[in-house]
């Protein structure tokens, strides 16, 4: 039986340029997460679950040493972390609380993370869907430049994860 396959147009960026200046509002601190930040990651709610799912959950992400956050009085407003870790590249992911978007907090977190990645001797990369304009704009603002495009074909369990709600073929 033929199994349905969905094409997913993807874009790959590599950090190659200086980032735009990010100037968080007074009182906001951008710093590396620690295990004590687990409750703040949990408090971001289910909309942020995708960013810590690959780490095994909020506690593992906060304990990884590979995540930076923007905090206001102990509350996480934005996160940027290594999403996929390779021998040469670290693919970056970012999340901003919906009530605090357009404040350059994700940009500040991504900038700090990219400096950290470079200090480890790796190159920051960014992968997103062609349809994800906010992600593409954040990548560009953070100094990432498009290096290639490809089509990702998702099928079976991968299809259901990439396309929540997709019917099983």
């Amino acid at each position: 039986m033929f199994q349905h396959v969905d094409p997913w147009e993807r874009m790959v960026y590599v950090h190659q340029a200086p980032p735009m200046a990010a100037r968080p509002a007074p009182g906001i601190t951008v710093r590396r997460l620690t295990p004590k930040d687990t409750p703040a990651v949990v408090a971001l709610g289910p909309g942020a679950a995708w960013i810590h799912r690959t780490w095994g959950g909020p506690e593992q992400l906060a304990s990884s040493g590979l995540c930076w956050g923007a905090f206001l009085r102990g509350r996480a407003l934005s996160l940027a972390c290594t999403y996929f870790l390779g021998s040469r590249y670290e693919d970056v992911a970012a999340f901003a609380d919906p009530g605090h978007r357009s404040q350059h907090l994700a940009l500040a977190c991504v900038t700090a993370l990219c400096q950290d990645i470079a200090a480890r001797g790796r190159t920051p990369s960014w992968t997103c869907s062609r349809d994800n304009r906010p992600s593409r704009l954040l990548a560009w603002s953070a100094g990432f430049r498009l290096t290639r495009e490809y089509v990702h074909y998702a099928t079976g369990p991968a299809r259901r994860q990439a396309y929540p709600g997709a019917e099983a073929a």
Side-chain angles (χ1 to χ4, degrees):
M1 172 180 224
F2 176 80
Q3 185 161 1
H4 185 77
V5 178
D6 288 315
W8 194 16
E9 295 180 2
R10 306 290 291 164
M11 304 177 87
V12 178
Y13 297 80
V14 173
H15 196 259
Q16 299 176 354
M20 271 182 38
R23 295 180 184 89
I28 294 179
T29 304
V30 176
R31 62 174 175 74
R32 183 189 316 271
L33 270 67
T34 70
K36 292 180 181 180
D37 294 314
T38 299
V41 175
V42 171
L44 286 168
W50 67 270
I51 200 162
H52 56 70
R53 186 176 300 125
T54 60
W55 283 99
E59 182 177 5
Q60 291 84 351
L61 176 62
S63 301
S64 71
L66 301 174
C67 186
W68 287 73
F71 291 86
L72 178 62
R73 293 186 292 278
R75 180 174 174 224
L77 305 177
S78 184
L79 302 174
C81 69
T82 296
Y83 200 63
F84 294 111
L85 176 62
S87 59
R88 290 181 49 207
Y89 294 92
E90 291 189 32
D91 208 54
V92 173
F95 173 83
D97 179 82
H100 293 88
R101 292 187 179 152
S102 301
Q103 296 177 17
H104 294 242
L105 301 178
L107 176 60
C109 293
V110 169
T111 299
L113 176 62
C114 287
Q115 291 169 348
D116 196 34
I117 291 170
R120 286 194 292 278
R122 292 193 175 99
T123 302
S125 62
W126 189 282
T127 307
C128 66
S129 169
R130 174 186 286 255
D131 297 334
N132 191 340
R133 187 169 189 270
S135 182
R136 292 186 353 246
L137 290 173
L138 176 56
W140 184 266
S141 298
F144 290 84
R145 298 299 178 257
L146 182 65
T147 58
R148 72 184 184 102
E149 298 180 53
Y150 68 97
V151 177
H152 177 99
Y153 294 93
T155 185
R159 178 174 173 248
R160 288 188 290 280
Q161 285 183 348
Y163 304 96
E167 295 177 10

